[in-house]
Amino acid sequence: MKKTTAAITAVGGYVPDFVLSNKVLETMVDTNDEWITTRTGIKERRILKEENAGTSFMAIKAAEDLLEKRGIEASEIDFVLVATATPDMPVAATAAYVASEIGAVNAFAYDLQAACSSFLYGMSTAASYIESGRYKKVLLIGADKMSSIIDYTDRTTCIIFGDGAGAVLFEPNEEGLGLQDEYLRSDGIGRQFLKIDAGGSILPASEETIKNKQHYVYQDGKSVFKFAVSNMADVSALIMERNNLTKEDVHWLAPHQANKRIIDATANRMGLEADKVMMNIDRYGNTTSATLPLLLHDYEKQLKKGDNIIFAAFGGGFTWGSIYLKWAYNS
Ligand code: UT7
């Protein structure tokens, strides 16, 4: 009997309308367009301004975009997985709300949190449910409202992050397309370098923590950069080697969009020319869990059935890894 693989059969995406440019950031903190552009590759990012709207607002839009494009009813979905580091609320899964709002009445739903690797890990989870034969339609959404946890007086973090959401549908495939291999890693040594100190079980929120701005993202950028650069390149090279893929065999690299310099180093290590590297960091910044599905959303029209795509991500925790996937359709 032929092995059932898990293929991506549709994508959707959403970014808020409001654009926060480097020029505007220059008026908010001591920074400049030249520094941000050369150090990160970011020109602008999107910020969700709607009142009382959280991550679910964007996740729902991305899911609705996908459903319309795929032409299926939400009631056909078995499982909704929301990869996010910024759930609507610390308790009450965002995914459950998203599933109900889009009309996925026959699905169960939960969130997955692995910082910037959330979506990558989510691909593994979603694909496993399909490969096992247990479910037929798994909706994986990567969404983050990073602006809700960023201190806009801290120039070391506020220039990096943006808001957005992307969604993919995983379905069974009998042609051997879809997820081929994965190499996922984590190392708790990294949690000191990229974290939010307060609001969790170690340090619950208090007047003191608010005063100290401990509810915002703290990042030791230099240290994270060092780990990210070597680890993302290592796992991408490893997955190529393990699957006997030459640089000619790889059609696309879909890398987490944290810093253009990290992306370039990964592509270099893989021997890939720039035209094989998906990139939208200049327009969206780092949208954490949304970077990978937003890349697919932006590049969907250029992807061909059978294309070999290497996904790679690195994030807080530390968490990182790579996934090798064969694209399953022409659009
Ligand atoms: O997605 C999750 C994982 N996250 C990442 O992968 C992020 C990894 N880290 C990075 O991308 C980079 O480390 C940053 C973009 C965060 C920072 O770039 P960097 O080249 O590592 O800069 P740096 O922290 O070494 O700072 C260099 C200088 C410092 O000044 P001095 O000490 O040399 O005088 C900073 O104070 O740049 C200064 N600086 C800034 N200057 C203008 C820091 N932020 C800014 C800024 N504008 N926004």
Side-chain angles (χ1 to χ4, degrees):
M1 207 175 81
K2 238 184 147 199
K3 192 175 158 244
T4 296
T5 49
I8 291 177
T9 58
V11 303
Y14 173 80
V15 289
D17 293 333
F18 185 87
V19 175
L20 177 58
S21 68
N22 290 352
K23 280 280 163 221
V24 172
L25 277 169
E26 283 180 3
T27 68
M28 295 163 62
V29 289
D30 179 15
T31 191
N32 57 78
D33 175 47
E34 205 254 329
W35 192 96
I36 302 173
T37 306
T38 54
R39 299 285 180 127
T40 69
I42 302 167
K43 281 293 197 188
E44 57 188 43
R45 59 295 287 142
R46 302 298 182 97
I47 305 292
L48 183 65
K49 290 285 191 185
E50 267 78 359
E51 244 175 78
N52 299 320
T55 293
S56 63
F57 179 90
M58 298 182 290
I60 290 165
K61 297 254 190 215
E64 287 173 346
D65 180 40
L66 179 151
L67 289 170
E68 198 188 318
K69 280 162 69 184
R70 178 75 179 85
I72 58 164
E73 296 298 323
S75 57
E76 295 175 48
I77 295 167
D78 301 304
F79 169 39
V80 177
L81 181 59
V82 173
T84 186
T86 53
D88 283 0
M89 298 179 254
V91 173
T94 301
Y97 179 72
V98 170
S100 295
E101 286 296 302
I102 62 172
V105 290
N106 296 309
F108 72 106
Y110 62 79
D111 297 348
L112 187 157
Q113 207 282 72
C116 290
S117 303
S118 301
F119 187 84
L120 188 86
Y121 284 13
M123 290 174 71
S124 168
T125 307
S128 302
Y129 275 124
I130 298 288
E131 288 158 3
S132 71
R134 195 172 298 184
Y135 301 113
K136 300 277 180 259
K137 284 186 171 50
V138 173
L139 178 63
L140 169 62
I141 304 169
D144 268 306
K145 184 182 171 184
M146 293 306 291
S147 60
S148 66
I149 54 171
I150 292 301
D151 175 4
Y152 283 91
T153 64
D154 175 8
R155 70 174 183 173
T156 68
T157 51
C158 75
I159 56 131
I160 299 170
F161 294 99
D163 301 337
V168 301
L169 187 70
F170 274 95
E171 294 186 78
N173 186 280
E174 307 302 331
E175 297 177 273
L177 302 170
L179 198 144
Q180 305 294 308
D181 193 15
E182 66 179 34
Y183 183 66
L184 307 181
R185 309 293 308 140
S186 66
D187 186 347
I189 192 176
R191 86 169 177 179
Q192 60 183 302
F193 301 117
L194 177 46
K195 59 183 176 176
I196 296 177
D197 272 316
S201 54
I202 295 179
L203 186 63
S206 66
E207 270 182 47
E208 188 73 9
T209 64
I210 301 280
K211 203 177 79 212
N212 296 336
K213 300 187 169 190
Q214 289 167 297
H215 55 297
Y216 289 128
V217 168
Y218 161 83
Q219 175 171 251
D220 171 353
K222 236 188 208 358
S223 301
V224 178
F225 186 90
K226 237 172 34 204
F227 281 97
V229 133
S230 57
N231 284 313
M232 237 170 88
D234 281 353
V235 293
S236 306
L238 181 143
I239 210 144
M240 277 175 75
E241 211 176 293
R242 198 155 86 173
N243 291 278
N244 298 316
L245 295 172
T246 64
K247 61 181 184 177
E248 286 77 25
D249 297 326
V250 175
H251 298 93
W252 296 99
L253 168 65
H256 172 53
Q257 308 282 296
N259 188 315
K260 185 172 182 297
R261 289 184 289 145
I262 300 174
I263 297 167
D264 290 346
T266 304
N268 264 339
R269 178 76 168 280
M270 298 167 74
L272 298 185
E273 303 296 330
D275 61 354
K276 287 186 171 183
V277 182
M278 296 187 198
M279 194 109 70
N280 56 19
I281 190 170
D282 53 326
R283 287 175 292 135
Y284 305 146
N286 182 350
T287 55
T288 302
S289 312
T291 60
L292 298 182
L294 276 175
L295 285 175
L296 294 179
H297 180 65
D298 285 358
Y299 282 79
E300 184 184 21
K301 287 200 165 53
Q302 298 180 56
L303 304 179
K304 306 239 163 0
K305 187 174 173 178
D307 275 0
N308 291 319
I309 308 177
I310 304 290
F311 293 83
F314 186 90
F318 291 133
T319 55
W320 74 99
S322 68
I323 283 180
Y324 164 32
L325 177 137
K326 274 185 181 293
W327 196 246
Y329 62 94
N330 298 312
S331 49

